[in-house]
Amino acid sequence: MDAAAPHRPRLGVFKFASCDGCQLTLLDCEDELLPLAGEMDIACFLEASSAPGPGPYDLSLVEGSVTTAEDAERIRRIRAESRTLVTIGACATAGGVQALRNFADVDEFREIVYARPEYIETLATSTPIAAHVPVDFELQGCPIDRGQLLEVITAFLAGRRPDIPRHSVCFACKRRGTPCVTVAHGTPCLGPVTHAGCGALCPAYGRGCYGCFGPSGSPNMPAMIPLLRSDGMSDEDVLRVLHTFNVAKFAAIEPEREEP
């Protein structure tokens, strides 16, 4: 008899409340995706196939935040079927831009957006996957970086921890030789407190970083806020620039504002 075929890791890719951009990053890997497909079975990936395979999964990539009771139940099922679970993108790691509802009246939002709001069932908050189930690794970004995604998948195949740096965008600017837009032009920039991963794209084109990769490993917000103000931003502008893709994570580390 022939020896049993070696086990091929099974990959599952799942979507919750999101725009699908992080899943598209996986598809955009193109040439690199073919060798990966030769090393593992892509068992479930509805962005690429309408025929999902059942669990269990050796590696699950989860995009999107939990915004409904059904989402909360489904992520528990996926966690139970997954040996390793990695969240990808700002929605899955921080609740996404939809987490603005966490700081407002969700019923008011619902009535403004939908013609028949009574048909919409939703939670009052948008929360990251880690608020509901244990997560083995978080990959930040809006959307995620394809190079970092490939590192996460290949690290899993090699049985090691992904090598994803936690330094700020300022470090990336220095590596690519980009002049500091704040020092050179007085441009407000979130680079000092934002997780690297985009390649410092915005500063390379003369504009300030706006935090799409969320807080870095050790953000100094008490120093960052006065710097933004000194560069001409009002308190309202500062609040607006922090409350975008990673609003929940930045809000959690914002210094308390003094009452007027």
Side-chain angles (χ1 to χ4, degrees):
M1 296 178 60
D2 294 335
H7 172 73
R8 285 167 55 87
R10 304 182 79 244
L11 172 69
V13 184
F14 303 95
K15 167 187 164 61
F16 287 77
S18 64
C19 70
D20 288 31
C22 293
Q23 292 181 86
L24 289 174
T25 299
L26 177 56
L27 291 177
D28 286 344
C29 290
E30 297 177 345
D31 293 342
E32 294 92 341
L33 190 58
L34 294 176
L36 285 175
E39 297 293 329
M40 61 195 327
D41 291 330
I42 302 178
C44 182
F45 187 11
L46 289 178
E47 191 76 26
S49 170
S50 58
Y57 309 101
D58 294 286
L59 172 64
S60 288
L61 303 177
V62 179
E63 176 194 60
S65 65
V66 173
T67 59
T68 67
E70 181 183 3
D71 284 345
E73 180 181 350
R74 187 161 68 95
I75 190 56
R76 288 192 290 269
R77 293 199 304 267
I78 292 171
R79 174 71 268 189
E81 295 179 333
S82 305
R83 181 178 179 182
T84 299
L85 190 146
V86 175
T87 50
I88 57 174
C91 295
T93 62
V97 69
Q98 57 269 31
L100 285 168
R101 71 169 70 180
N102 302 3
F103 308 93
D105 184 344
V106 70
D107 290 330
E108 181 181 357
F109 278 0
R110 181 164 45 191
E111 291 175 1
I112 292 172
V113 173
Y114 298 99
R116 300 297 298 271
E118 65 271 19
Y119 293 156
I120 306 299
E121 293 185 6
T122 186
L123 298 174
T125 58
S126 172
T127 46
I129 299 300
H132 300 268
V133 297
V135 169
D136 297 297
F137 192 82
E138 292 186 336
L139 188 61
Q140 295 177 213
C142 186
I144 55 174
D145 175 73
R146 64 192 296 270
Q148 289 192 348
L149 177 59
L150 289 169
E151 163 61 17
V152 166
I153 297 175
T154 53
F156 164 76
L157 291 172
R160 59 174 174 81
R161 183 81 174 168
D163 183 16
I164 304 296
R166 292 176 56 79
H167 54 246
S168 72
V169 170
C170 289
F171 183 85
C173 278
K174 290 178 172 61
R175 289 192 65 178
R176 68 181 293 168
T178 299
C180 176
V181 296
T182 298
V183 173
H185 310 293
T187 301
C189 179
L190 290 180
V193 296
T194 297
H195 196 292
C198 63
L201 182 63
C202 289
Y205 286 89
R207 64 154 294 167
C209 166
Y210 53 94
C212 62
F213 271 66
S216 60
S218 55
N220 186 351
M221 297 304 291
M224 184 77 256
I225 302 300
L227 179 60
L228 293 174
R229 289 172 178 155
S230 69
D231 288 330
M233 297 186 78
S234 66
D235 288 347
E236 183 179 356
D237 291 335
V238 171
L239 191 65
R240 185 180 297 114
V241 76
L242 291 173
H243 289 190
T244 55
F245 314 100
N246 293 275
V247 53
K249 279 197 172 182
F250 275 119
I253 60 174
E254 286 176 29
E256 292 187 7
R257 290 185 291 275
E258 297 180 359
E259 295 295 333

